[in-house]
Amino acid sequence: MTRRQALDDPQIAATAWKRFRRIMAWMAGGATLCVGLALLFLYWRVGQLPIHMVIATVLGVWLTFMLGTALMALAFLSSGTGHDEQVMDRLKDEVPLDD
């Protein structure tokens, strides 16, 4: 019987996804802070903002921040659990190495 590795093991997977959700929750707070700062900056530079500009700014800043956070957190999740080491490189014998 083979030993489960990385995210195949339910304990490792549960711990990794719990850590991922915790990171995302903290970063959602950071994103909210960035949205507030962006809105303050725009108010300081422009004055009264139209509601459509406020909505676009909130969605744009928050979603961009969270997308970047999610992609980086998934990269760390994959690397930290050993999931990256399970990938087989089928082309390693076909590509010559220049030494």
Side-chain angles (χ1 to χ4, degrees), residues 91-99:
L91 298 177
K92 69 180 176 184
D93 297 331
E94 296 179 21
V95 179
L97 297 175
D98 295 330
D99 290 330

Side-chain angles (χ1 to χ4, degrees), residues 10-63:
Q11 267 188 320
I12 294 173
T15 303
W17 285 113
K18 182 179 175 185
R19 182 176 176 217
F20 175 79
R21 285 188 295 274
R22 187 177 62 238
I23 289 170
M24 292 301 290
W26 275 104
M27 295 310 285
T32 303
L33 179 65
C34 284
V35 166
L37 291 173
L39 289 173
L40 282 174
F41 175 77
L42 286 173
Y43 181 77
W44 175 68
R45 294 286 290 176
V46 177
Q48 186 66 31
L49 301 173
I51 188 66
H52 296 95
M53 186 173 182
V54 172
I55 292 170
T57 301
V58 168
L59 289 175
V61 171
W62 199 84
L63 290 175

Side-chain angles (χ1 to χ4, degrees), residues 55-76:
I55 292 170
T57 301
V58 168
L59 289 175
V61 171
W62 199 84
L63 290 175
T64 301
F65 195 98
M66 293 307 292
L67 177 63
T69 298
L71 292 174
M72 286 304 297
L74 286 172
F76 286 121

Side-chain angles (χ1 to χ4, degrees), residues 5-7 12 76-87:
Q5 296 181 17
L7 295 175
I12 294 173
F76 286 121
L77 173 88
S78 177
S79 175
T81 59
H83 196 69
D84 291 349
E85 284 78 30
Q86 289 180 320
V87 176

